[in-house]
Amino acid sequence: MEVRVQNIVKQFERFPALKDVSLDIRSGELIALLGPSGSGKTTLLRLIAGLESPTAGQIFFGDEDASLKTVQERNIGFVFQHYALFRHMTVLDNISFGLRIRKADRRPAKADIRARAMELIDLVQLSGMEKRYPAQLSGGQRQRVALARAMAVEPNVLLLDEPFGALDAQVRKELRRWLRDIHNRTGHTTVFVTHDQEEALELADRVVVMSQGKIEQAGTPDEIYDAPNSPFVFSFIGQSNILPVRVESGQIWLEDRPIGVESAGTADGTANLHFRPHDIGLQDGCGGCLAGIVTTSRRVAGKRHVELDIGQQHARVEIELPADHPATEGSRVAFRPTRFKLFQA
């Protein structure tokens, strides 16, 4: 099912939660809404679900305007962060619930409901647990039940609101792989909200980065990470460094010296240089480069993260070095960015 969000505005009293947001979601696509708290991502999800009504704008499911339809009429599958399972029901009954409460003319036969639920129990890898209650399951198992219950009604759109937020890091990682596999096998149009950029980049076909009620950028994980279109996206996605520089005839200068990096076609003037800690090339010595004194050096897995004090203004940057690099506090390291982006100041 295709979903089209068209010029949506949402205000809570005088607070503008969403400001003229438009987004096309393709049928069978897995979309991540990513952003900090207060960016509008959960509000957008609730509007798609029908849990909130827009102040202005429309939401289409296929060619049909769904803006005034109820949640039930939209046939939405919703998975919350805190499971929202019925504690007094078994796994089987929880998953069957959405089908059992349908009106008589749309309700499958009891045998068909059970068969559908058992099929989903197998799909979410909980075979043999159908008679257990939520209290007898781990957090990860409960979330699998919640997802199976949402899929049982064969929803037009599957919506997930921070689905793994209450789980520990290792379980989150396992469930991310599992959810991607489930999506590939079922093909539901899926929208999920997260503030975890790693989760969004690993899971989604496209990532929608939101800030202050607007969409900053929408694109594939590679596009969002490698070609951010604004200082906010560059800073929010992954680690990044920012240095105030100036551009003169295509050359980038820090304070009173060129850094040996060109930016052809960039207008002269002040700018901010953005680069990631791993996108650097070390220099043994140079007439034009960035160089600084190591203030901290720490081992992080297979790499060494080094913080440098650079320039007369004592700007701080962090770079990533091989684990065996001899950088110690007080030593000098010279480098140049190999990939970067300039944003006019």
Side-chain angles (χ1 to χ4, degrees):
M1 173 68 72
E2 294 179 354
V3 178
R4 180 158 48 94
V5 176
Q6 184 172 296
N7 304 115
I8 285 290
V9 174
K10 179 62 180 178
Q11 286 198 227
F12 294 101
E13 295 181 353
R14 295 186 179 181
F15 173 70
L18 291 174
K19 308 169 187 175
D20 195 23
V21 169
S22 294
L23 177 65
D24 289 341
I25 302 169
R26 295 183 287 270
S27 181
E29 192 171 30
L30 179 58
I31 286 275
L33 303 180
L34 175 67
S37 297
S39 61
K41 56 189 187 297
T42 295
T43 299
L44 179 55
L45 194 79
R46 290 175 64 83
L47 284 163
I48 294 172
L51 297 171
E52 300 283 354
S53 298
T55 305
Q58 295 170 289
I59 295 172
F60 291 87
F61 281 19
D63 295 326
E64 192 173 8
D65 186 352
S67 303
L68 301 178
K69 288 192 171 186
T70 65
V71 180
Q72 290 78 15
E73 290 170 333
R74 295 184 196 199
N75 192 30
I76 292 292
F78 214 122
V79 180
F80 298 92
Q81 177 177 340
H82 295 292
Y83 324 124
L85 298 179
F86 298 110
R87 289 177 292 177
H88 65 287
M89 291 186 186
T90 63
V91 167
L92 179 63
D93 289 339
N94 263 286
I95 295 172
S96 304
F97 181 77
L99 293 172
R100 287 193 286 109
I101 63 168
R102 279 184 172 173
K103 292 180 179 178
D105 60 338
R106 295 182 58 240
R107 189 189 311 139
K110 284 185 178 181
D112 292 335
I113 293 175
R114 179 181 174 82
R116 172 69 174 155
M118 293 301 293
E119 175 188 333
L120 286 165
I121 287 170
D122 182 57
L123 182 67
V124 300
Q125 301 170 355
L126 291 175
S127 296
M129 299 186 184
E130 59 270 15
K131 294 182 180 180
R132 293 190 186 183
Y133 290 88
Q136 298 172 300
L137 304 175
S138 69
Q141 289 169 336
R142 290 177 202 168
Q143 199 57 292
R144 290 175 189 233
V145 175
L147 184 61
R149 184 178 64 183
M151 291 191 296
V153 297
E154 298 182 342
N156 289 326
V157 184
L158 186 60
L159 304 177
L160 300 93
D161 189 7
E162 298 273 7
F164 309 138
L167 305 173
D168 64 51
Q170 187 57 40
V171 175
R172 285 175 73 118
K173 187 164 278 192
E174 290 172 2
L175 285 185
R176 284 205 297 264
R177 289 194 296 266
W178 170 78
L179 179 60
R180 183 70 237 192
D181 180 58
I182 292 287
H183 178 266
N184 290 342
R185 292 164 65 182
T186 60
H188 287 296
T189 302
T190 303
V191 184
F192 76 98
V193 161
T194 182
H195 65 272
D196 185 329
Q197 54 185 272
E198 182 181 323
E199 191 165 276
L201 294 173
E202 182 179 332
L203 261 177
D205 297 317
R206 279 194 301 149
V207 178
V208 178
V209 182
M210 300 188 67
S211 174
Q212 298 182 335
K214 294 184 178 180
I215 293 175
E216 287 276 340
Q217 186 174 356
T220 66
D222 285 346
E223 289 168 346
I224 294 293
Y225 189 86
D226 294 331
N229 66 359
S230 71
F232 172 81
V233 177
F234 206 121
S235 299
F236 186 72
I237 302 295
Q239 289 182 286
S240 64
N241 296 297
I242 306 173
L243 285 175
V245 297
R246 74 179 189 278
V247 181
E248 292 183 7
S249 302
Q251 295 286 331
I252 301 175
W253 291 62
L254 176 68
E255 297 172 347
D256 59 352
R257 64 187 184 278
I259 65 172
V261 175
E262 296 183 0
S263 183
T266 302
D268 287 0
T270 58
N272 287 316
L273 175 71
H274 293 243
F275 65 95
R276 303 202 186 278
H278 55 270
D279 286 334
I280 59 107
L282 292 174
Q283 304 291 313
D284 291 331
C286 59
C289 66
L290 291 170
I293 303 302
V294 176
T295 57
T296 61
S297 176
R298 62 190 186 279
R299 176 73 178 268
V300 180
K303 299 290 183 180
R304 182 165 299 280
H305 288 204
V306 174
E307 191 173 285
L308 301 175
D309 186 338
I310 288 182
Q312 299 167 7
Q313 301 301 319
H314 299 292
R316 294 291 180 96
V317 300
E318 184 172 301
I319 61 173
E320 195 175 275
L321 303 175
D324 59 356
H325 191 281
T328 56
E329 288 188 28
S331 62
R332 182 178 181 275
V333 176
F335 69 95
R336 289 188 184 125
T338 54
R339 294 180 67 176
F340 63 89
K341 192 142 188 179
L342 284 175
F343 293 103
Q344 297 299 129

